[in-house]
Amino acid sequence: MRPIRIALTKGRLEKDTIKLFEKLGFDCEQLHNKGRKLILQIPDANLEIVLAKAADVITYIEHGVCDMGVVGKDTILEYGGTFFEVADLGFGRCKFALAGKKGEDFYAGYAEKTIATKYPNVTHQFFESKGMDVKIVKIEGSVELAPLLGLSDAIVDIVETGSTLKENGLEVYEDVTAISARLIVNTVSLKLRKAEIETVINYIEKALAE
Ligand code: PRP
């Protein structure tokens, strides 16, 4: 049988995930010296690590080609999907926030607002919960540009340290929701390889409790 495969979000969450694996006593040598390799082994634990972009982690888990995954709650909220979310890993903490030019009153006036975001579903749900119609413009990155260029009245984006907003003369108008890294599991894997997966989850929960 193939090793249990864990899809890991490349970039922001990568370092902290490797730190967690090290805390579990796993040999992370291949993860530290990966070069351009995308599939890596943790031989002593019979685990295979797949490095993927956030939204693709969910795709691989949903299709069952990976058994477990580490992904931000931001990606889960935006893309949804069918899987079990089994643990809050506690790192990758940040938030979704509504933000815009400093000193402006976002809620003033009756004209429909335009919101720029990389997360149209999260944005739609946020304003729907307020019963407010907005126009949403999808932006791929550096969303902060949109209000500065006059494309939007505000943005819904990830805020971590707040420096990007600050350095561009923007501020948070309102928090949308808190975000952190989550451990997710394919629904079929959890049944078919229950013992192995539960062992990994138990290890992780123990490490998180320490
Ligand atoms: C994210 C987010 C903000 C920034 C916030 O962008 O979209 O731009 O980080 O971080 P801060 O509050 O610590 O300044 P990311 O770096 O992921 O790249 P992106 O612009 O391509 O979305």
Side-chain angles (χ1 to χ4, degrees), residues 20-196:
L20 174 66
F21 287 165
E22 278 176 333
K23 216 169 158 190
L24 303 181
F26 293 163
D27 169 11
C28 294
E29 200 267 336
Q30 287 195 26
L31 288 172
H32 286 297
N33 303 302
K34 63 178 162 54
R36 302 288 296 170
K37 271 189 99 167
L38 298 170
I39 302 182
L40 305 151
Q41 314 296 326
I42 300 182
D44 53 349
N46 198 30
L47 294 177
E48 200 161 69
I49 307 299
V50 173
L51 294 173
K53 280 196 90 163
D56 299 335
V57 168
I58 291 186
T59 304
Y60 293 135
I61 297 290
E62 278 208 288
H63 285 81
V65 295
C66 291
D67 306 294
M68 312 178 78
V70 174
V71 70
K73 185 70 181 179
D74 51 325
T75 309
I76 295 176
L77 290 172
E78 181 62 21
Y79 296 93
T82 307
F83 46 78
F84 293 120
E85 190 182 314
V86 296
D88 181 341
L89 298 173
F91 56 79
R93 283 191 191 284
C94 51
K95 64 184 179 186
F96 273 129
L98 174 70
K101 281 196 199 156
K102 209 172 167 195
E104 286 188 5
D105 180 3
F106 173 76
Y107 291 104
Y110 294 98
E112 189 184 50
K113 308 289 180 195
T114 301
I115 311 295
T117 187
K118 250 166 93 169
Y119 301 88
N121 293 326
V122 169
T123 304
H124 175 77
Q125 276 167 28
F126 175 65
F127 284 103
E128 196 177 43
S129 74
K130 290 178 172 291
M132 194 173 158
D133 280 330
V134 294
K135 183 177 166 209
I136 297 172
V137 180
K138 171 99 194 282
I139 299 287
E140 291 301 326
S142 299
V143 179
E144 294 83 359
L145 281 170
L148 297 174
L149 298 176
L151 175 66
S152 73
D153 298 292
I155 60 175
V156 167
D157 197 22
I158 288 173
V159 177
E160 192 177 355
T161 60
S163 335
T164 312
L165 291 180
K166 201 167 172 212
E167 289 184 28
N168 291 290
L170 305 171
E171 66 179 356
V172 169
Y173 295 151
E174 203 173 318
D175 287 354
V176 175
T177 185
I179 294 167
S180 59
R182 304 299 160 100
L183 184 65
I184 62 173
V185 181
N186 171 270
T187 48
V188 177
S189 301
L190 194 57
K191 287 196 190 110
L192 297 183
R193 304 189 69 174
K194 196 172 171 28
E196 291 159 279

Side-chain angles (χ1 to χ4, degrees), residues 7-19:
L8 192 162
T9 301
K10 283 201 282 191
R12 261 171 203 269
L13 301 181
E14 205 175 317
K15 257 198 192 153
D16 283 328
T17 311
I18 296 173
K19 246 195 247 162

